[in-house]
């Protein structure tokens, strides 16, 4: 009877899981992972089409198709070409490669570690929708007046300032990076918390598959650098909206942008490289039925790369005239990163050697990636030399080196992973012959495309044409042919997958590769919506055997769907779109006041969607509706130590601290670069505080500090199951939070009465005043959010009849962290501007 009821329950929930509604409102990690993968491939196609257009442009010098009788005019002008270069770079790096690796991670990590799902299913879904809509926001710039962003993917200042890039598309592209950054921070938090909190019984960290370790390292790099780049682009967007000026070149703003951008940009290269490398280790060892070579050393090498990647970013500033000692130190650090990178290459080759392979498609892609790894690595070492980099900096030699890593290693490695896990995703095997044809053509294409670029070491990149007679033409022509060969290979891949899904019979073998890494192949193909039929655990004599506990069958749970993540993500992205449309109604765009009103209407719709999503989210928590299935099979203590929510909130808010620290760092940079720090009047370097404004700020700091202490008191009241005490502390804390808001506003009003610091006046050419206004506005926004949550918590604790104290303690944790965050932000703001 029990079996029959379980079967009926499974069939009912499985229909919901596989329905259109089930895919749109899903919170299941497998569907979200596949959505990431499929969406990233769509962006790959888009970015690839832009690349082909660029290669057609560069195939012929002084490109004018009238001469060839093909078109009536020039193919691409300089502005169009620069837009393609910019959006191609941003798309491939931030919307294709990164999400593809994370998509594999979100799908496979819970399966590999023996978990039901990611730790925070709804937040996982929110991360995907932010990713999707941010990509749409990026590409919509092509349809706006003036076109899209055209500064190159580095978006250097002052080129990207409104003065030199007066296009609406530049604002939407910058906003897209901000929204994408938020989604990445969410995905990173998910992965870190899941790996540490949701592993099966007895599963030690050092025994995890190397792909899981690679994704974990990537998540930690992303958590560290994406808040910083999101903050940087947020300053750019808000500066355009409010007329602020944080990047004036004469006060160090341009060099500040370059430093902050590459503090993200260089680690970004490695967080794109590691997923493919970890994947190759896993499928090479599984298909060869041997352990990865020196696995612990490979884990250490990935960690060393992760840390060192943040330390070498200054080699992108060799040409800026920075202190010579920094140049030498950066050159040494850049050399040292080749050591762990070389360890990974040796590890891949050693894992491959000695195994009896049939040279299936994934193995061939790993071989291709290994050769590209060596070419990209050797050419990268040369650029750590200051003398050599002086010669080749900013030309196609760098383009070739960079793409050998990004395409030759990262893309090829992940394509092998896509073939390897195709049976897991679909339950059917791909066509091996077509897979090998795809590999052969792609391998020829990638080398034909990028290797000739090494010989263009004196041709500047990001130029839309060049003169004939200098030997550039033949290499550009070969590269263009290679680009079309490489693009053709992926048409074969998509045809292979479509044909296999339609024609091939379902697999009868649950583990067609006889693989052993993690619990991935302990499930059906594709996995059931709840992953495992029996509880996974690690046991055996040496506590390393992966097992399913037949005494603990898993009852099919309810399928968890939620509309809240979709509404919240729509609200965020549509809000940015509305703000940009509203800008079109005012100077300097001035397309008509109609656009301003339309923009305000769009913002109102966005706010309504956001409120529906957030209020619905809190209502679900209040009614204990979602999620009702914990992601782990272990008993998870709720009120002791770092439970799941506490850990995730700590990670997320620590990332927010990095976001705000970027603002403080910008302030200190501008102060250090300024020549006259205490000049009153309208001088661009003025940042004095009027005495009354300072008094208001001190009161606001004291108020939010008391609120933080009261939040701590509420936490202890919740843990001791004292609803009256917990609610009272939080209610009083909310009052002090309101005092914080009022005094902060009074300080801003007072500051604005001084022409040297007024919003919209002096801020147009006063970078420090601009940063003060920006940080203060952030303080207020966070403060309003904190107060709303505090009031809601107090009411819930006082009057709710249906109550789980574990949830209450967790909610108090959330509030406490947010209040502490606002408190520290306020303190740091004051220190940054008064000290």
């Amino acid at each position: 009877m029990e079996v029959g009821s379980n079967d009926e329950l499974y069939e009912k929930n499985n229909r919901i899981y596989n329905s259109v509604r089930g895919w749109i409102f899903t919170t299941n990690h497998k569907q979200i992972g596949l959505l990431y993968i499929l969406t990233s491939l769509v962006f790959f196609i888009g970015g690839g089409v832009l690349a082909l257009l660029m290669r057609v442009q560069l195939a012929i010098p002084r490109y004018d198709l009238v001469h060839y009788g093909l078109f009536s005019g020039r193919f691409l002008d300089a502005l169009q070409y620069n837009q393609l270069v910019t959006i191609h770079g941003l798309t491939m790096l931030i919307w294709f490669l990164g999400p593809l690796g994370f998509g594999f991670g979100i799908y496979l990590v819970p399966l590999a570690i023996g978990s039901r799902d990611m730790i925070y299913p709804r937040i996982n879904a929110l991360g995907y929708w932010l990713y999707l809509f941010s990509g749409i926001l990026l590409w919509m710039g092509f349809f706006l007046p003036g076109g899209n962003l055209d500064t190159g993917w580095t978006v250097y200042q002052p080129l990207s300032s409104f003065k030199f890039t007066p296009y609406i598309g530049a604002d939407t592209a910058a906003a897209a990076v901000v929204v994408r950054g938020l989604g990445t921070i969410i995905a990173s938090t998910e992965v870190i918390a899941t790996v540490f909190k949701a592993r099966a019984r007895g599963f030690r960290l050092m025994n995890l598959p190397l792909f899981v370790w690679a994704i974990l390292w990537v998540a930690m790099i992303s958590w560290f650098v994406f808040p910083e780049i999101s903050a940087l682009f947020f300053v750019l967007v808000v500066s355009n909206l409010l007329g602020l000026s944080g990047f004036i070149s004469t006060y160090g703003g341009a060099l500040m942008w370059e430093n902050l951008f590459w503090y993200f940009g260089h680690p970004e290269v490695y967080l794109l490289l590691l997923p493919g490398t970890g994947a190759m280790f896993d499928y090479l060892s599984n298909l060869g039925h041997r352990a990865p070579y020196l696995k612990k050393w490979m884990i250490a090498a990935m960690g060393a790369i992760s840390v060192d990647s943040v330390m070498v970013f200054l080699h992108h500033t060799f040409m800026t005239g920075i202190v010579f000692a920094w140049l030498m130190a950066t050159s040494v650090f850049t050399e040292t990163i080749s050591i762990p990178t070389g360890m990974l290459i040796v590890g891949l080759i050693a894992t491959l050697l000695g195994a009896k392979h049939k040279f299936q498609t994934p193995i061939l892609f790993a071989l291709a990636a290994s050769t590209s790894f060596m070419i990209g690595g050797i050419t990268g070492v040369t650029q750590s030399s200051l003398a050599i980099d002086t010669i080749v900096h900013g030309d196609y030699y760098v383009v070739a080196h960079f793409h050998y890593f990004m395409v030759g290693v990262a893309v090829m490695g992940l394509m092998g992973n896509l073939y390897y896990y195709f049976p897991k995703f679909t339950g059917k095997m791909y066509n091996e012959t077509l897979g090998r044809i795809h590999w052969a053509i792609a391998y020829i294409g990638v080398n034909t495309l990028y290797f000739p670029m090494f010989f263009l070491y004196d041709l500047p990149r990001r130029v839309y044409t060049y003169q004939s007679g200098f030997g550039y033409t033949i290499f550009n022509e070969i590269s263009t042919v290679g680009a079309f060969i490489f693009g053709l290979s992926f048409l074969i891949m998509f045809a292979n997958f479509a044909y296999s899904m339609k024609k091939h019979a379902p697999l009868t073998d649950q583990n067609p590769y006889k693989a052993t890494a993690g619990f991935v192949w302990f499930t059906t193909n594709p996995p059931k919506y709840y992953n495992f039929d029996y509880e996974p655990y690690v046991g055996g004599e040496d506590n390393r055997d992966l097992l399913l506990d037949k005494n603990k069958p898993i009852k099919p749970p309810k399928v968890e769907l939620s509309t809240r993540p979709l509404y919240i993500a729509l609200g965020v992205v549509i809000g940015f779109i509305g703000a940009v449309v509203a800008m079109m109604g005012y100077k300097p765009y001035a397309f008509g006041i109609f656009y301003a009103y339309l923009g305000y209407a769009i913002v109102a719709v966005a706010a309504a969607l956001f409120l529906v999503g957030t209020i619905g989210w809190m209502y679900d928590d209040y009614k204990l509706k979602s999620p009702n299935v914990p992601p782990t099979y272990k008993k998870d203590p709720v009120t002791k130590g770092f439970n799941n929510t506490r850990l995730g909130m700590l990670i997320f808010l620590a990332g927010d601290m990095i976001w705000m620290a970027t603002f403080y760092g910008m302030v200190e940079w501008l102060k250090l670069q300024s020549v006259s720090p205490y000049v009153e009047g309208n001088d661009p370097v003025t940042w004095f505080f009027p005495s009354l404004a300072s008094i208001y700020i001190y009161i606001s700091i004291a108020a939010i500090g008391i609120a933080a202490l009261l939040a701590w008191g509420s936490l202890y009241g919740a843990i001791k199951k004292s609803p009256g005490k917990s609610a009272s502390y939080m209610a009083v804390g909310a009052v002090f939070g309101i005092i914080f808001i009022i005094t902060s506003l009074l300080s801003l009003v007072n500051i604005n009465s001084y022409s040297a610091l007024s919003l919209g006046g002096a801020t147009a050419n006063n970078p420090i005043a601009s940063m003060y206004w920006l940080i203060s506005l952030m303080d207020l926004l966070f403060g309003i959010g904190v107060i709303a949550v505090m009031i809601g918590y107090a009411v819930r604790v006082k009057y709710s009849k249906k109550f789980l104290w574990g949830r209450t303690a967790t909610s108090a944790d959330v509030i406490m962290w947010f209040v502490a965050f606002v408190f520290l932000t306020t303190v740091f703001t004051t220190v940054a501007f008064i000290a």
Side-chain angles (χ1 to χ4, degrees), residues 61-62 455-460 465-476:
R62 297 294 184 184
F455 299 96
L456 297 172
Y457 55 84
D458 56 347
L459 176 63
T465 190
Y466 52 90
Q467 289 185 340
S468 59
F470 288 89
Y472 302 143
T473 306
I474 182 63
F475 296 114
N476 272 302

Side-chain angles (χ1 to χ4, degrees), residues 216-231:
L216 179 60
W217 284 120
V218 167
M220 288 191 282
I221 304 175
S222 300
W223 165 81
F224 191 69
V225 299
F226 263 93
E228 180 264 340
I229 196 66
S230 301

Side-chain angles (χ1 to χ4, degrees), residues 393-423:
H393 182 84
D395 58 37
Y396 272 84
Y397 184 94
V398 178
V399 175
H401 151 73
F402 178 72
H403 282 81
Y404 258 101
F405 264 129
M406 292 298 94
V407 181
V409 181
V411 174
M412 299 293 263
L414 288 175
M415 288 302 108
N417 206 43
L418 188 59
Y419 276 100
Y420 179 73
Y421 282 110
F422 183 80

